[in-house]
Amino acid sequence: MRKRSNLEIYFDVLRAVSETGKPTHIGNYAALSWKDTMKCLRFLESKGFIRTVNSKNGRIEYKLTRKGLEALEALQKIVEALRLPRQIIQLLDADY
């Protein structure tokens, strides 16, 4: 299994935050441990990509800021532009 870059992890976390604000769900969506999820969330918050909010039940949740939404949209465009057809990916991944 290929190790993800920090950029890929941040992208996954931003996508997760856009879907759900709950830290456990974010970690599951991004396939991160609790420790790595919280580390990533703290980093993204310190850079202004996400913010914390108090939920109705008193728990902390996360929301994208405008900067975070713009970053997510830009990353999605880049990923889409670089996306290779499935057949080419299979050829590149084939074990010879």
Side-chain angles (χ1 to χ4, degrees), residues 3-76:
K3 183 179 175 182
R4 293 180 291 172
S5 69
N6 284 342
L7 182 60
E8 290 171 308
I9 293 169
Y10 298 146
F11 178 54
D12 289 342
V13 171
L14 288 172
R15 283 191 323 186
V17 171
S18 74
E19 297 289 326
T20 179
K22 298 175 181 174
T24 302
H25 294 174
I26 294 166
N28 291 341
Y29 185 95
L32 293 172
S33 69
W34 175 256
K35 179 182 172 184
D36 289 339
T37 299
M38 296 312 295
K39 180 180 173 183
C40 188
L41 289 170
R42 283 191 299 271
F43 173 78
L44 290 171
E45 185 178 18
S46 75
K47 298 298 182 185
F49 292 105
I50 61 173
R51 62 183 173 87
T52 58
V53 294
N54 289 321
S55 66
K56 292 178 183 175
N57 63 5
R59 296 184 182 197
I60 291 179
E61 293 189 4
Y62 295 87
K63 301 288 181 191
L64 289 178
T65 61
R66 178 175 294 285
K67 181 179 177 179
L69 181 59
E70 291 170 356
L72 178 59
E73 290 171 348
L75 287 168
Q76 287 173 328

